[in-house]
Amino acid sequence: MLNDKIAKLINEQVNKELYSAYLYLDFANYYEQEGLDGFAHWYQVQAQEERDHAMMMRRYLIDNGIRVTFGEIAQPDKALTELSAPLKAGYEHEQYVTSLINNIYAEAFALKDFKTMQFLDWFIKEQGEEEKNAEDMIKKFELYGYDAKGLYALNQELLARVYVPSATGPAM
Ligand code: FEO
């Protein structure tokens, strides 16, 4: 059984991860409309990963005797006014998610909940990768995105992203 506060925080994080999936699908919708299928694909894969994160947390709660509850998923509200806007909003969002994961980790540490700390280790590492990926997207866009040929090439590169499930087996 988990400490109530830890269980509540992880349950809330399930919702935040599903919101992340919703947000990235919103970015994909925007890019589809702009004719950039590679950018749209990249964010669709990202949304699949976010769903995986939510499912991993849901499973952790269930396996520890917690009744998971679902709240409303907020409407994506980032202003997508130019092609680089989702990239910047995505980076800011990942920094926010990192702060949420760090907060849960800090609570687990304070409660000497070593099991949850070990569970969260995967997410701590993942957030480092997520932030780097988001930052790299901005850098690439700044370098190539303002030239038609460069934008075409970048779109093709992003189209090649392959979805790899975040975890397999009983964890999901
Ligand atoms: Fe679930 Fe993008 O972190």
Side-chain angles (χ1 to χ4, degrees), residues 17 46 50 53 94 97 127 130:
E17 298 293 334
Q46 191 63 29
E50 298 301 349
H53 299 168
E94 286 303 333
V97 174
Q127 281 312 121
E130 297 269 83

Side-chain angles (χ1 to χ4, degrees), residues 19 22-34 39-40 43 75-93:
Y19 170 78
Y22 217 35
L23 179 69
Y24 291 140
L25 280 177
D26 189 52
F27 292 178
N29 293 341
Y30 167 77
Y31 283 125
E32 292 281 3
Q33 198 66 22
E34 295 295 327
F39 283 74
Y43 278 110
Q75 181 178 15
D77 62 349
K78 307 286 185 194
L80 307 180
T81 50
E82 57 185 355
L83 295 180
S84 63
L87 310 179
K88 290 173 183 166
Y91 182 44
E92 279 171 22
H93 182 67

